[in-house]
Amino acid sequence: DGYAYTWEVDRTWRKTRKPTTNLLCNGADPNRNWDVNWGQYGSSSNPCSNGYHGDYVFSEPETLQLAQFVNLIPDLFAYISFHSFGQLLMTPYAFTRNASVENDLLVDIGQISVQNLSTVHGREYRVGSINDFFGNVAGSSVDYVALTKTPKIVYCYELNNNHILPPEEIQSTGQEIFVSLMTIFTETVNRG
């Protein structure tokens, strides 16, 4: 799935390792392989690109298995996706500038969450939609879950402001994200 490859060959590898139609290039970006406007924008049809969306929707076993798992959960309460880097807490959607039905609530809870996060180690996160920060991107897991499962909480974190997190920042990042998550869940429950 690319994990071992990140330790052995390329620390910033972001794709899977499944062979593609190009014998020289393996893998697809698993966050461009989901069934939400797949392949339309914000990804590439070039198997050698880091943003390659795969040969077809759910062509990657990793995305297919996660989608099947998520679809087995009848009343999914939350879906949180973690990425690096940028110090962002993002709401759906990526594929369109249109806001999700829950966007105002998610942004409000998100703002409280990142305020509490900043009290832990002083790091500042920004809140907004994925599209606000990255423009139109199709094939996102966050959008897929938001559109097919309608859970109460759907967020995507872009963690700390370093793509390769220094070991000395791992614990502090975990501590602040824990506070952020607990705030999100507490605020959600308190609001019914």
Side-chain angles (χ1 to χ4, degrees):
D1 68 357
Y3 178 75
Y5 192 80
T6 65
W7 287 101
E8 297 164 2
V9 180
D10 181 352
R11 195 68 190 106
T12 61
W13 185 259
R14 61 176 284 145
K15 297 180 357 178
T16 63
R17 294 295 301 153
K18 181 180 169 188
T20 68
T21 55
N22 184 320
L23 298 177
L24 301 176
C25 302
N26 288 338
D29 181 341
N31 205 40
R32 302 292 182 270
N33 192 236
W34 292 73
D35 193 9
V36 180
N37 294 75
W38 176 85
Q40 290 190 12
Y41 33 75
S43 66
S44 175
S45 60
N46 178 355
C48 296
S49 167
N50 278 337
Y52 177 54
H53 50 60
D55 294 335
Y56 49 88
V57 169
F58 295 129
S59 63
E60 306 310 291
E62 297 85 355
T63 56
L64 178 61
Q65 290 297 309
L66 184 55
Q68 289 173 343
F69 173 73
V70 166
N71 288 328
L72 290 174
I73 303 170
D75 296 314
L76 184 68
F77 176 76
Y79 180 84
I80 313 288
S81 182
F82 294 92
H83 299 230
S84 67
F85 64 99
Q87 293 179 203
L88 306 172
L89 179 57
M90 301 179 293
T91 63
Y93 296 115
F95 78 98
T96 180
R97 290 207 54 80
N98 296 334
S100 71
V101 173
E102 301 287 341
N103 191 65
D104 289 344
L105 177 65
L106 290 172
V107 168
D108 186 42
I109 291 172
Q111 292 289 2
I112 296 166
S113 174
V114 299
Q115 287 171 0
N116 287 349
L117 178 154
S118 71
T119 65
V120 180
H121 296 290
R123 278 192 273 264
E124 300 286 333
Y125 277 60
R126 296 179 292 153
V127 178
S129 77
I130 298 168
N131 194 289
D132 288 342
F133 293 114
F134 297 108
N136 287 344
V137 178
S140 160
S141 70
V142 169
D143 287 356
Y144 177 83
V145 172
L147 290 167
T148 62
K149 297 300 290 185
T150 61
K152 300 291 184 202
I153 300 299
V154 182
Y155 286 107
C156 178
Y157 281 92
E158 289 283 352
L159 298 176
N160 206 330
N161 211 8
N162 197 328
H163 193 68
I164 300 175
L165 193 63
E168 62 272 12
E169 292 184 29
I170 293 171
Q171 186 173 353
S172 63
T173 299
Q175 291 166 341
E176 64 193 12
I177 295 302
F178 179 78
V179 167
S180 178
L181 286 170
M182 291 303 98
T183 301
I184 288 170
F185 296 137
T186 300
E187 285 291 322
T188 303
V189 169
N190 288 345
R191 294 165 189 238

